[in-house]
Amino acid sequence: MLFARTGIRRLGTLVAGAAFAMQASVGAATAQPATGQSSRCPTLYVIGVPGTGETSPGADPSSDQGMLSSIMLAMRSAEPTRTDRAYVAYQAGFGGAVPGGPVPYSQSVTGGLQQLRTMAQSVVDRCETTRLAFVGYSQGAHIASLFTQEIGRGQSTIAANRIAGVALLADPTRYPGAPLFPGAADKLTPDPAPGTVAEGLATLQAHPTSAPGGGIGPLRDLAADFGALTGRVASFCIDGDLACDSPANAPILHMITNIAGQSLLPPGDPLTALSSITDALVATVHKTTTDVIDKDLHGLSPGSLVLSRDTSLSQRLAEASDPRSMIEDPTGRSAMLRLATITLNTLTSVVGLVLSPEDVCQIGALGATDPLAGLAALGAKMFASMPKRASAPRFTQIVTQAFDAIADLLSDNAELLDNHVWAKYQHAVTRHGSYALTPIAAERPSLQYIADWFTELSRAQPAPAEPNPGPVQPNNALVATASGNDATTPDTTPKPPPPQPKDSTTELGTIDPSPGSAGLESDHAEHKRRKTARHLFWVLLLAESAYLLYTGPRPLIRTDWDTDLPKRTSRNRSR
């Protein structure tokens, strides 16, 4: 038995040791930096996401190139030991139309986002006290914005308090008319990281004019704020930069961008480009039609069809053009069933028959196994409706609403037909690349502002701890009275008014009204009640002692025997 117990203990020890070793090895593996990424743990670690054509999957993460290099070099020059940086190496492509990877824009963003998540998690796992900062330009700002939204909304494994600041340049996800700090319109300076104090941030006041337009990216990515990170995220946009300042009321422009962003656009192969664009356009029309039939079209017969206008057709097209939007099976089946029901009701309207989706399912199920039975079921329903035949309904209502929807398609995108609007974007390419020159605050360009911002974040100090009030000290007078000794420690708390011994009501605990807190009055009354109770106890005890001393013991329970005791005693004496 002893051997069995010893064997079990040894086996448990081996299993526990193996589990600990496995956990340690896994932890060591996750704590390793990404390929080419610095292994230092500075105060602030900045991860930059370059723009389209500025990097590639095989690029060195520590090589300072592109728009963001001036930020990193200035920051590292000011604080070489407190800061470090790395760049996300990803495709950075736009379907081959511009320098960069040959993959479509949407695929490039997805790959860059995954790489950014990996690099950020690597720093967090191996550097417990290091805080992160992100900076992205153009397509890189799109990637950094998506990751920042995840963290700010609690959808990431990285806590929001580990992020010191985020800078977005020419962000395609910028909300229309958003201020410098999205979600904080009146803010002039960035917030420090939680639990820190950065006095130098007060010198970074900015009063830029907010660009009226918004980002050209997919509608679902536009961010009005960044959740828990609001105030620590700045979005820099130059007026006239089409990437972040596109016309606010032009959903079709988002559709065009989305279609181009999921297409292959090699300059030397127009057939491939045309085929890719056609596939994206067909998918967009298919998803839009499904959404309109399932969500906007109401009614089952031609005369009762109503087209809802809660969501415009151009809005549906812009949403459906996003390659991430998928048609769920229930939605697709529901739309096809509704369309089939409307079609059959149109064909049977000459006899006044209106079928429900359940009828269509029944007829379809019969027809799938036995076509003649399906036709017989349809004929039976038509024959049953013959006595109540009515005039065929008209399509006037639905046709009118369809033309109105097409007219709204033009009115919703009226800005695209305005020559003055397009005149604003004559120099869009130049403005897209002028963030190193255009001042944002006190003659300080955006890139210099970000470099100074990140430098001050690296110099931040821990916020002083709030003084602990400690436990509430009891009233010394009450403690002294309860223990029977005088208080030796001076009491700094306000004392209640002195008791009045000649006033019986005061002695019983009634407090004379006077200025002071209710808590002190309550303590004073409790003290008096306890003192009175002690006095009464001693008086009763002394009275009982005196009675026993002079009269002798008395019975606690009186009986008839006790009452007859004197008579029995006298009789015994007489005998």
Side-chain angles (χ1 to χ4, degrees):
M1 186 67 179
L2 178 62
F3 175 78
R5 291 181 179 178
T6 305
I8 292 175
R9 289 177 182 175
R10 290 179 178 176
L11 179 61
T13 303
L14 291 175
V15 172
F20 178 79
M22 291 174 63
Q23 183 178 4
S25 64
V26 171
T30 56
Q32 294 299 321
T35 304
Q37 190 176 350
S38 171
S39 59
R40 293 180 56 232
C41 290
T43 303
L44 183 71
Y45 199 105
V46 181
I47 300 179
V49 192
T52 303
E54 291 188 335
T55 186
S56 63
D60 183 3
S62 61
S63 177
D64 295 303
Q65 297 179 0
M67 176 73 72
L68 306 181
S69 61
S70 59
I71 299 175
M72 305 299 193
L73 292 173
M75 177 191 69
R76 295 272 293 148
S77 175
E79 290 291 346
T81 58
R82 293 175 179 265
T83 63
D84 204 348
R85 61 31 185 139
Y87 299 90
V88 177
Y90 70 110
Q91 290 284 349
F94 201 96
V98 296
V103 300
Y105 178 89
S106 59
Q107 184 177 340
S108 176
V109 169
T110 301
L113 178 59
Q114 184 58 42
Q115 181 68 10
L116 175 58
R117 292 188 187 122
T118 302
M119 295 177 66
Q121 191 66 52
S122 173
V123 176
V124 170
D125 288 344
R126 60 187 172 80
C127 303
E128 295 182 358
T129 60
T130 297
R131 297 187 186 273
L132 288 169
F134 306 134
V135 56
Y137 168 61
S138 190
Q139 183 178 166
H142 192 163
I143 296 171
S145 173
L146 293 179
F147 189 41
T148 304
Q149 293 178 47
E150 292 178 2
I151 298 174
R153 295 168 184 167
Q155 300 171 351
S156 173
T157 56
I158 297 177
N161 60 5
R162 296 296 299 270
I163 308 302
V166 179
L168 307 173
L169 294 158
D171 179 21
T173 72
R174 178 176 173 269
Y175 199 78
L180 177 61
F181 301 98
D186 299 330
K187 182 170 289 296
L188 301 179
T189 59
D191 290 337
T196 65
V197 175
E199 298 179 354
L201 295 181
T203 63
L204 299 177
Q205 292 195 8
H207 304 270
T209 301
S210 179
I216 201 172
L219 294 177
R220 66 189 294 181
D221 294 343
L222 304 187
D225 61 70
F226 290 88
L229 293 178
T230 299
R232 283 176 274 165
V233 180
S235 181
F236 301 85
C237 182
I238 297 176
D239 190 16
D241 182 355
L242 191 60
C244 59
D245 186 33
S246 64
N249 298 317
I252 289 297
L253 186 59
H254 291 274
M255 183 198 74
I256 296 173
T257 305
N258 289 341
I259 290 176
Q262 59 185 299
S263 303
L264 295 173
L265 306 170
D269 191 355
L271 293 180
T272 299
L274 181 60
S275 176
S276 181
I277 293 174
T278 301
D279 292 342
L281 187 59
V282 169
T284 298
V285 173
H286 179 216
K287 289 185 286 186
T288 302
T289 304
T290 302
D291 285 341
V292 169
I293 294 175
D294 186 64
K295 301 175 182 178
D296 299 335
L297 191 60
H298 305 285
L300 298 174
S301 61
S304 64
L305 290 178
V306 176
L307 186 63
S308 173
R309 302 179 66 180
D310 295 338
T311 303
S312 66
L313 182 58
S314 58
Q315 185 83 5
R316 292 288 187 205
L317 288 168
E319 294 173 353
S321 62
D322 190 335
R324 293 167 295 181
S325 64
M326 304 297 293
I327 300 177
E328 300 179 358
D329 289 342
T331 301
R333 289 195 297 266
S334 175
M336 293 301 296
L337 180 59
R338 179 183 292 273
L339 182 61
T341 303
I342 294 173
T343 303
L344 283 176
N345 284 332
T346 302
L347 296 176
T348 59
S349 61
V350 293
V351 294
L353 174 63
V354 176
L355 298 176
S356 66
E358 291 76 12
D359 296 333
V360 175
C361 287
Q362 181 182 1
I363 296 172
L366 291 174
T369 57
D370 188 353
L372 295 179
L375 291 176
L378 178 60
K381 291 184 178 295
M382 294 177 62
F383 179 78
S385 66
M386 291 296 288
K388 52 183 179 181
R389 177 178 178 179
S391 58
R394 299 181 178 180
F395 292 85
T396 306
Q397 183 178 8
I398 186 62
V399 171
T400 302
Q401 291 176 343
F403 277 104
D404 290 342
I406 296 175
D408 291 341
L409 189 64
L410 299 177
S411 61
D412 290 344
N413 301 274
E415 288 190 57
L416 299 180
L417 305 178
D418 190 346
N419 293 330
H420 295 88
V421 172
W422 289 110
K424 173 183 177 179
Y425 301 106
Q426 289 182 355
H427 305 288
V429 176
T430 302
R431 295 181 181 182
H432 186 66
S434 61
Y435 286 89
L437 304 174
T438 305
I440 189 71
E443 302 302 323
R444 187 160 32 190
S446 301
L447 301 187
Q448 183 61 45
Y449 183 94
I450 298 171
D452 295 341
W453 175 18
F454 288 174
T455 300
E456 295 299 334
L457 288 178
S458 69
R459 296 169 178 171
Q461 299 296 323
E466 297 182 359
N468 187 3
V472 178
Q473 298 295 333
N475 192 316
N476 289 337
L478 299 182
V479 174
T481 304
S483 61
N485 299 324
D486 295 336
T488 57
T489 304
D491 187 8
T492 59
T493 60
K495 294 181 174 56
Q500 300 178 6
K502 295 182 180 180
D503 190 350
S504 60
T505 58
T506 305
E507 188 68 15
L508 293 176
T510 304
I511 299 178
D512 185 40
S514 60
S517 65
L520 292 177
E521 293 178 355
S522 177
D523 291 342
H524 188 207
E526 180 68 18
H527 164 63
K528 287 192 173 185
R529 283 193 292 271
R530 292 181 179 180
K531 184 177 181 182
T532 302
R534 286 195 298 271
H535 289 172
L536 290 175
F537 174 78
W538 284 110
V539 168
L540 293 175
L541 184 61
L542 290 174
E544 183 69 14
S545 300
Y547 179 84
L548 293 175
L549 181 63
Y550 290 99
T551 63
R554 56 179 178 175
L556 298 179
I557 302 176
R558 297 182 62 87
T559 64
D560 293 337
W561 187 87
D562 294 332
T563 306
D564 297 338
L565 180 61
K567 297 180 180 180
R568 294 178 182 177
T569 304
S570 61
R571 290 176 184 175
N572 293 334
R573 288 179 180 176
S574 63
R575 291 179 183 177

